[in-house]
Amino acid sequence: MAELDRGGCCPPMDLFRSEPMQLLQLIIPIESAHLTVSYLGDLGLLQFKDLNTDKSPFQRTYATQIKRCGEMARKLRFFKEQMLKADVLPAHSTTVVDVNIDDLEVKLAEIEAELTEMNANGEKLQRSYNELVEYKLVLQKAGEFFHTAQSRAVEQQRENESRQLSGESLEAPLLQDQELLGDSSKQVKLGFLAGLVPREKSMAFERILFRATRGNVFLRQVAVEDPVTDPVSGQKTEKNVFVVFYAAEKAKSKILKICDAFGANRYPFAEEVGKQTQMITEVSGRLLELKTTIDAGLLHRGNLLQTIGAQFEQWNLLVRNEKSIYHTLNMLSLDVTKKCLVAEGWSPVFATKQIHDALQRAATDSNSQVSAIVQVLHSRELPPTYFRTNKVTSSFQGIIDSYGVAKYQEANPTVYTVVTFPFLFAVMFGDWGHGICLLLAALYFIIREKKLSSKKLDDITEMTFGGRYVIFLMALFSIYTGFIYNEFFSVPFEIFGPSAYECRDLSCKDATTAGLIKARRTYPFGVDPVWHGSRSELPFLNSLKMKMSIILGVAQMNLGIVMSFFNAIFFKNRVNIWFQFIPQIIFLNSLFGYLSLLIIVKWCTGSQADLYHILIYMFLSPTDDLGENQLFAGQRNLQITLLLLAAISVPWMLIPKPFILKKQHENRHGGDSYAPLQTSAESLQVESNHDSHGHEEFEFSEVFVHQLIHTIEFVLGAVSNTASYLRLWALSLAHSELSTVFYEKVLLLAWGYNNVIILIIGLLVFIFATVGVLLVMETLSAFLHALRLHWVEFQNKFYEGDGYKFHPFSFLLIEDEDE
């Protein structure tokens, strides 16, 4: 909701809980109802409830006005189509048009009639012009047939004269070209038809003519060099000029039907050369006249479309707003006097004064004698959820809302997701070279955000542009983790100084730790370059990533449980505090929190203890001596204590809560037929968090089974979710190895040939592989895995996500939806 976002930075607490909401009832005089809804649409902070759900759209009060607005919208769509065909772009204007909707309706009708008439006349003129163009081609090409025949006839006559034959008239030379070959006493007057046929159909046209007339026709064709515009379809088509000769009227009728079937356009044609020349002159003159008329019509039409385009956006906005106003008015109900409209809707508490001011302005501007009355209603209905976000946090809020909208006043994961999401992505994508590439892409969208936000983008570009700040933070964290991993396109660098280790002799070249001696002070930041690479089956860097994944996973799961504690405190749900938060935090940290502690202690002490052995035998033989795997004094007793606490926490989660909920239900409803009406937001939320048993018969078996499922889900989930965080290590390893393969097997291999062409090819392959695989596919893969870790492993500890969004009536929102 763009109009609800704030340009500045939001304090974190603005996101932690949704805005307090209130249900308002408005009693609006009918004479000021339209202006009141219009001002509230400008404000965009009131979500109207539909009070006429029992009525169909056609039975509502303002159905006629909506129909009128729909008709005006249709006319505007027609204008837009005509402008697009003419390459006329609507002008973007910020000025507010002061036009009455009734006057606009009349004006649009007049413009539509004028434009429709222009289009009809233009189509007729264009069709006549195309017909004349074809006619001129027929006269020219068919005239060549007769001219050629006349030349042959002259030659034939001269040959006959030389043989002392009688001369004959040359008025019909093409016909006599065939007749001279026969007996003069049996000459027949032949008819002919001329026209154009599509070239792709010319062969079939010729065959059908031959078969239909049993060969009693003579057909001549010649191809037209350039495609011509067909008068009927208006499409550019390659055609042939044809002349077909026939001897009988019966054959003529067949030829006419065949011409119609093949889309062949026929034109009148005179046999005499003089008439042909005269007709060409007349057609050419007519073409010039039509061309002038068509150009004048197009100029006039273009000017009209320019006039429409100058005001199109304003008209479209006015019609869209009017239609939305009447749609909203149809959600209001008439009071018994039919002089007032009653509206109900949700609004944030902070917007109360702004709503009152809008109502007062509407009453003043509409000259209403009575202003609207506002009162707050108390309802058991769950209010909508509304978070005030800005252009940075809105993308992260969208990620959370894709999973599920937070329930009213529920703790919002977005507060932590702003940091944890790009960080977990960076753990999998850590390479400061690739991070810089992502940063440049994000900066491009951020720098050009004003221009790009006003343009129509394709789906992928629009999605990338919407998440530009998410990509920006992911890039920054990737650069940070890349410095920690000491990887630049998989290559380690001594950025912060030389390595602290040196080889004692040549034998330590391929070793991991053996043969290395510390020669300098510890590398100041990140991993020492000497630990990078595949020196053994599990290099130090990969071991670091694996253990770090466990620590990060346990920390984020603990954060999720703490968020459930915040929810329980906010809603004053003591049952969840004692029988959900406490046993969950004990169980998780007795096992996996302890494992994280062992990892940190091992890092700090440099011990060679086997953590797998410690964790496994903590369950199998908790009382056995740890021996060389002991990391600190009292470790065995601590493990026994933690194991007992983990065992106790499971029945602690399972058994007490159903009995306590049953007791609370009996205390609330024992012996009472009616429960007192609770009006506070607190009672609303407590009731909504009691598994909807407040007004229903309490089924102890259902509650117990429900709690059993939750307990099993948490216990098994604690194990599976911890293992799931190892994807951080796996994706980071895959990213590093792919980057190493592209660097060593493509770039370095091409470099080794000492050939410029091979080097250029290798460099291009390296660039395309890096961009296509590492910067696109790997980015998407790491993004999706980070998304899963937040949706499943983190949010399932506390987040219900069964609320619904606050959708206020706003003209800006309507515009976004229309686009």
Side-chain angles (χ1 to χ4, degrees), residues 521-638:
R521 62 187 181 88
T522 304
Y523 196 70
F525 184 82
V527 176
D528 194 301
V530 77
W531 301 112
H532 189 279
S534 301
R535 292 171 172 263
S536 69
E537 293 182 359
L538 188 63
F540 172 80
L541 183 58
N542 288 334
S543 177
L544 170 69
K545 292 178 180 179
M546 180 181 66
K547 293 172 182 176
M548 186 175 65
S549 300
I550 296 175
I551 295 175
L552 293 176
V554 173
Q556 191 175 38
M557 287 191 291
N558 272 288
L559 177 61
I561 297 175
V562 171
M563 292 281 282
S564 70
F565 174 70
F566 289 155
N567 277 336
I569 290 179
F570 184 82
F571 297 128
K572 298 182 179 180
N573 192 335
R574 297 180 180 178
V575 176
N576 283 349
I577 294 175
W578 286 102
F579 302 102
Q580 179 173 312
F581 165 72
I582 294 178
Q584 285 182 355
I585 204 77
I586 289 175
F587 180 85
L588 180 65
N589 290 288
S590 295
L591 303 179
F592 303 105
Y594 175 64
L595 175 61
S596 302
L597 175 65
L598 292 179
I599 293 173
I600 295 173
V601 171
K602 182 178 178 180
W603 281 347
C604 295
T605 61
S607 172
Q608 298 297 316
D610 187 351
L611 299 185
Y612 299 107
H613 183 277
I614 295 175
L615 197 63
I616 291 172
Y617 281 91
M618 176 180 173
F619 292 94
L620 298 180
S621 303
T623 59
D624 289 356
D625 185 70
L626 296 174
E628 60 182 9
N629 290 321
Q630 183 168 331
L631 290 171
F632 53 87
Q635 181 178 352
R636 183 180 64 177
N637 294 332
L638 176 61

Side-chain angles (χ1 to χ4, degrees), residues 369-553:
Q369 298 179 354
V370 181
S371 60
I373 300 173
V374 183
Q375 59 182 352
V376 179
L377 300 179
H378 299 290
S379 172
R380 293 183 181 274
E381 182 182 351
L382 190 69
T385 301
Y386 169 42
F387 295 104
R388 285 193 280 181
T389 58
N390 56 37
K391 60 185 179 181
V392 177
T393 57
S394 59
S395 299
F396 291 97
Q397 187 64 54
I399 290 174
I400 300 302
D401 291 343
S402 298
Y403 174 82
V405 178
K407 185 184 290 186
Y408 178 64
Q409 295 281 285
E410 183 181 9
N412 186 13
T414 305
V415 178
Y416 303 100
T417 302
V418 171
V419 176
T420 59
F421 185 87
F423 178 71
L424 292 185
F425 170 87
V427 171
M428 296 178 277
F429 195 78
D431 187 301
W432 62 276
H434 298 152
I436 290 175
C437 295
L438 276 185
L439 181 64
L440 294 176
L443 287 175
Y444 169 80
F445 286 108
I446 292 173
I447 293 172
R448 295 176 55 87
E449 69 178 16
K450 287 187 178 179
K451 292 183 178 179
L452 293 175
S453 60
S454 61
K455 291 182 179 180
K456 182 69 175 178
L457 305 175
D458 59 85
D459 293 339
I460 296 178
T461 306
E462 185 177 5
M463 181 175 59
T464 307
F465 174 72
R468 60 195 180 278
Y469 288 102
V470 178
I471 299 173
F472 177 75
L473 289 176
M474 292 192 307
L476 290 181
F477 278 96
S478 297
I479 294 173
Y480 171 73
T481 54
F483 280 127
I484 292 179
Y485 297 160
N486 199 351
E487 289 188 0
F488 178 81
F489 295 99
S490 80
V491 180
F493 283 88
E494 296 182 344
I495 303 174
F496 301 101
S499 172
Y501 297 89
E502 290 182 352
C503 282
R504 183 180 304 157
D505 50 46
L506 296 177
S507 63
C508 75
K509 182 178 179 181
D510 296 324
T512 304
T513 57
L516 290 176
I517 58 173
K518 189 170 183 180
R520 304 175 189 85
R521 62 187 181 88
T522 304
Y523 196 70
F525 184 82
V527 176
D528 194 301
V530 77
W531 301 112
H532 189 279
S534 301
R535 292 171 172 263
S536 69
E537 293 182 359
L538 188 63
F540 172 80
L541 183 58
N542 288 334
S543 177
L544 170 69
K545 292 178 180 179
M546 180 181 66
K547 293 172 182 176
M548 186 175 65
S549 300
I550 296 175
I551 295 175
L552 293 176

Side-chain angles (χ1 to χ4, degrees), residues 203-411:
M203 296 301 294
F205 178 68
E206 185 173 354
R207 287 196 298 268
I208 295 297
L209 280 176
F210 184 82
R211 293 174 183 173
T213 61
R214 298 182 180 180
N216 293 319
V217 293
F218 176 69
L219 178 67
R220 294 290 299 275
Q221 294 190 70
V222 64
V224 178
E225 293 80 5
D226 299 322
V228 295
T229 304
D230 187 80
V232 178
S233 65
Q235 302 294 323
K236 288 280 188 180
T237 309
E238 292 183 337
K239 292 190 174 184
N240 289 352
V241 174
F242 70 90
V243 179
V244 56
F245 298 92
Y246 57 89
E249 287 297 321
K250 186 176 181 181
K252 179 181 178 180
S253 63
K254 292 181 180 181
I255 295 171
L256 291 174
K257 292 179 181 179
I258 293 171
C259 288
D260 292 337
F262 279 83
N265 300 325
R266 305 180 307 278
Y267 296 95
F269 187 81
E271 182 182 352
E272 293 79 6
V273 176
K275 289 185 178 180
Q276 293 175 14
T277 305
Q278 181 183 357
M279 292 175 69
I280 291 177
T281 304
E282 292 177 358
V283 169
S284 298
R286 180 62 178 155
L287 280 173
L288 288 176
E289 293 176 1
L290 280 178
K291 180 64 176 175
T292 304
T293 306
I294 290 172
D295 290 342
L298 289 176
L299 180 62
H300 182 50
R301 182 174 179 271
N303 292 335
L304 179 61
L305 291 176
Q306 290 286 354
T307 304
I308 296 172
Q311 304 180 70
F312 178 82
E313 291 292 342
Q314 299 173 349
W315 292 346
N316 195 36
L317 181 63
L318 178 61
V319 171
R320 187 189 304 123
N321 290 351
E322 282 293 316
K323 189 175 182 180
S324 64
I325 288 171
Y326 286 119
H327 269 300
T328 304
L329 288 173
N330 271 341
M331 300 170 68
L332 279 55
S333 63
L334 279 168
D335 72 335
V336 291
T337 64
K338 295 188 177 180
K339 295 182 179 180
C340 294
L341 289 172
V342 180
E344 292 182 8
W346 293 100
S347 77
V349 174
F350 73 82
T352 303
K353 185 177 184 306
Q354 300 175 56
I355 292 175
H356 277 282
D357 293 343
L359 297 177
Q360 188 63 40
R361 282 191 296 113
T364 303
D365 294 347
S366 62
N367 298 321
S368 175
Q369 298 179 354
V370 181
S371 60
I373 300 173
V374 183
Q375 59 182 352
V376 179
L377 300 179
H378 299 290
S379 172
R380 293 183 181 274
E381 182 182 351
L382 190 69
T385 301
Y386 169 42
F387 295 104
R388 285 193 280 181
T389 58
N390 56 37
K391 60 185 179 181
V392 177
T393 57
S394 59
S395 299
F396 291 97
Q397 187 64 54
I399 290 174
I400 300 302
D401 291 343
S402 298
Y403 174 82
V405 178
K407 185 184 290 186
Y408 178 64
Q409 295 281 285
E410 183 181 9

Side-chain angles (χ1 to χ4, degrees), residues 627-701:
E628 60 182 9
N629 290 321
Q630 183 168 331
L631 290 171
F632 53 87
Q635 181 178 352
R636 183 180 64 177
N637 294 332
L638 176 61
Q639 290 184 175
I640 295 174
T641 303
L642 293 175
L643 197 60
L644 291 174
L645 287 175
I648 293 172
S649 62
V650 176
W652 190 354
M653 279 187 282
L654 173 61
I655 299 174
K657 186 175 179 179
F659 291 97
I660 294 174
L661 291 178
K662 181 181 179 182
K663 183 66 176 176
Q664 289 180 347
H665 179 82
E666 292 174 352
N667 292 338
R668 284 198 305 268
H669 302 287
D672 293 334
S673 300
Y674 299 94
L677 180 63
Q678 298 175 338
T679 59
S680 65
E682 173 191 323
S683 63
L684 173 65
Q685 289 304 319
V686 170
E687 184 173 321
S688 65
N689 282 274
H690 279 167
D691 299 324
S692 302
H693 293 293
H695 298 286
E696 301 175 3
E697 183 179 354
F698 189 86
E699 292 290 343
F700 180 78
S701 59

Side-chain angles (χ1 to χ4, degrees), residues 121-174:
N121 293 336
E123 289 175 1
K124 290 179 181 178
L125 291 173
Q126 191 63 48
R127 179 167 183 168
S128 299
Y129 181 82
N130 294 333
E131 288 177 348
L132 288 175
V133 169
E134 286 195 345
Y135 191 16
K136 186 176 180 180
L137 289 172
V138 170
L139 291 173
Q140 292 173 342
K141 299 294 183 181
E144 294 176 2
F145 296 156
F146 284 84
H147 178 72
T148 303
Q150 185 180 20
S151 301
R152 290 204 306 267
V154 171
E155 293 177 1
Q156 184 70 32
Q157 185 174 4
R158 289 175 181 174
E159 185 178 339
N160 291 339
E161 287 176 354
S162 64
R163 295 177 183 178
Q164 297 181 349
L165 295 176
S166 60
E168 296 183 13
S169 175
L170 298 179
E171 289 301 319
L174 189 62

